[in-house]
Amino acid sequence: MITDDVSGMGPLVARFARVGQRVRQADRARPWVLDTTVVVLVLLMFCLPDLLHHGGAGDGDGHEPHRFQFAFTQLPLAAVLALQAGLVLPLLWRRRQPLAAFAAIAVVFVLQWSLGAALRADVALFVALYSLALHGQLRRLPWACGVMAAGMVLVAVRVSPVVSVWDTLFFLLSTVIAALAVGLMVRTRRAQLAGLRERAARLETERDQRIRLATATERARVAREMHDIVGHNLSVIITLADAGVYATDTAPERGKEVLQVIGDTGRTALGELRRVLGVLREAADGARQAPELSPQPGLADIESLCDNVRSAGLEIVYRTVGEVDALDRGMQLTVYRVVQEALTNTLKHAGAGTQVTLSVVVEDERLAIRIRDDGPAGHPGPRNEEGHGLVGMRERAALYGGTVDAGPAADGGWVVEATLDLSPQGGAR
């Protein structure tokens, strides 16, 4: 039974929440409507009864208990209307100017009780105190509380012939504290909600920024992979095609071999492109497909890379020193891509017939890669084309706390030297 009641409260609470949200939206659009509504309610509930019973108190007919027949000043109807207007109308600006509204009502309140008149519209003073605690400056509250205490003492003295001063003060000051506490509680709650909304907006902005950063990082990674794959293999294919044109006239059997190498190179490039793009491809229904992935190239693939480039006309001497097979896959991929980019640049800028010395050396916590070619005099190298290639090599090396330097060798040709940190803290191992 209890479970059913609690579950039944869900839609009811949600309905009230939606109604409250609509009221807040309407209030933000037209705040004067709520202010006017408060004034009208106070007039109907507290001012109208005084007007209807005006002149009925103190008539001596004996219909009222004796303890309520204490002397209150009977003011003219015009004076009652003026006092009621002075008490109620300032509530129209209680949210825009809470201190001014409270001060105006307090002045009328003191004037009324100084004349010895009692009006139900005095409730407007408590509404004004609540509004001051909710909307006003907190440093003004002590002053307002002092004014309220003085006003309540004045009321207690006036009704002392019927009710004890201390009982009256207890009741009135309790009402003052209640109005003050409710205003401060609502103010604190609104501040908390505003803080939560601001924090949610900030977290949403940070989330969007992280998404954009992750997207940019992924694009840069894919761009590096595409450049390494397409740039290298196309350079090899173009060089082989040029050589094949020449070999067709002089050595037809050599031309056939060149065409076979071009086909193998193209298929290798196509397979690597499918692997890279297959990770990004999504099915039409939004589910990510499971592409057929092949292992990323490593140090064991450098030899086949060298054979591929040798077929394009470069003479490569490759050696390794140290326990290169113990490197993790990420480090091996970095070494492979650096070597691939350096050999591609040599093939592009130095041309066929160039001798290349390639070494990969592992010493303690340091890995050194050196690619040097003996290109023709004036071989410019890629220094004037610092695009994705050299930048990509440096980005890959930076992931492992390394550096890449490229420039002309002292005795001619071009040299690329890369150093990677093998220590656990030196990179994303």
Side-chain angles (χ1 to χ4, degrees), residues 7 16 28 39 109 139 149 168-169 184 263 271-272 352 373 387 403 414 428:
S7 61
F16 278 119
R28 284 193 293 267
V39 171
F109 179 86
R139 59 188 178 90
T168 304
L169 284 177
L184 292 176
E272 293 189 11
D373 66 66
T403 59
W414 193 263

Side-chain angles (χ1 to χ4, degrees), residues 6-352:
V6 173
S7 61
M9 286 296 291
L12 182 61
V13 172
R15 188 177 298 109
F16 278 119
R18 287 192 296 269
V19 171
Q21 185 177 4
R22 294 193 188 98
V23 171
R24 287 191 295 270
Q25 292 175 351
D27 182 49
R28 284 193 293 267
R30 298 179 179 84
W32 61 269
V33 174
L34 180 59
D35 295 335
T36 305
T37 302
V38 171
V39 171
V40 171
L41 289 177
V42 173
L43 288 173
L44 294 176
M45 296 175 62
F46 300 100
C47 296
L48 189 59
D50 282 337
L51 296 177
L52 295 177
H53 295 85
H54 181 264
D59 56 2
D61 57 3
H63 292 295
E64 297 178 354
H66 177 71
R67 64 190 184 94
F68 288 108
Q69 296 177 357
F70 49 88
F72 279 121
T73 303
Q74 279 295 100
L75 298 177
L77 181 60
V80 173
L81 290 174
L83 290 174
Q84 288 180 342
L87 289 170
V88 177
L89 292 182
L91 294 178
L92 288 172
W93 64 82
R94 65 184 180 86
R95 292 192 292 179
R96 297 188 300 275
Q97 298 291 334
L99 181 61
F102 175 82
I105 296 175
V107 170
V108 178
F109 179 86
V110 172
L111 175 61
Q112 168 212 323
W113 282 98
S114 298
L115 296 176
L119 296 175
R120 292 179 176 87
D122 290 338
V123 72
L125 183 64
F126 298 97
V127 177
L129 179 63
Y130 161 82
S131 300
L132 181 62
L134 178 58
H135 303 289
Q137 299 179 0
L138 294 179
R139 59 188 178 90
R140 305 290 188 184
L141 282 181
W143 175 84
C145 291
V147 173
M148 289 293 294
M152 298 306 104
V153 170
L154 177 61
V155 175
V157 171
R158 283 292 186 180
V159 301
S160 57
V162 177
V163 184
S164 168
V165 172
W166 298 111
D167 291 342
T168 304
L169 284 177
F170 175 78
F171 171 76
L172 294 177
L173 292 179
S174 298
T175 307
V176 170
I177 294 174
L180 188 65
V182 172
L184 292 176
M185 180 186 67
V186 175
R187 184 190 189 113
T188 302
R189 178 60 177 169
R190 290 184 179 180
Q192 291 176 344
L193 292 177
L196 290 176
R197 285 192 292 268
E198 181 181 357
R199 182 171 182 269
R202 185 171 63 253
L203 290 176
E204 185 176 357
T205 301
E206 293 176 356
R207 181 202 63 189
D208 295 339
Q209 291 176 346
R210 286 194 298 269
I211 292 175
R212 287 193 294 269
L213 181 60
T215 301
T217 303
E218 183 65 13
R219 286 176 178 173
R221 185 191 69 81
V222 173
R224 286 197 302 267
E225 292 290 331
M226 295 289 289
H227 175 271
D228 293 337
I229 295 171
V230 176
H232 168 75
N233 289 288
L234 282 182
S235 296
V236 174
I237 290 173
I238 292 172
T239 303
L240 289 173
D242 292 340
V245 172
Y246 176 77
T248 301
D249 298 332
T250 58
E253 67 283 355
R254 177 62 177 169
K256 180 179 179 180
E257 180 182 350
V258 169
L259 291 176
Q260 291 177 345
V261 175
I262 289 176
D264 294 339
T265 304
R267 281 187 289 272
T268 301
L270 184 59
E272 293 189 11
L273 285 175
R274 285 176 175 172
R275 174 181 54 78
V276 173
L277 299 178
V279 178
L280 305 177
R281 185 179 299 116
E282 293 184 354
D285 58 356
R288 186 177 296 274
Q289 292 180 343
E292 296 181 0
L293 302 178
S294 59
Q296 291 274 41
L299 287 175
D301 301 294
I302 292 182
E303 187 62 47
S304 60
L305 174 66
C306 292
D307 292 338
N308 193 16
V309 177
R310 286 190 187 102
S311 63
L314 294 184
E315 299 179 10
I316 303 176
V317 177
Y318 169 52
R319 69 184 183 93
T320 60
V321 178
E323 298 181 358
V324 294
D325 294 335
L327 300 175
D328 62 43
R329 297 298 303 177
M331 179 73 73
Q332 292 191 32
L333 176 62
T334 298
V335 174
Y336 180 89
R337 293 305 188 195
V338 170
V339 172
Q340 183 185 53
E341 179 61 30
L343 294 179
T344 301
N345 288 334
T346 299
L347 185 62
K348 182 188 304 182
H349 297 282

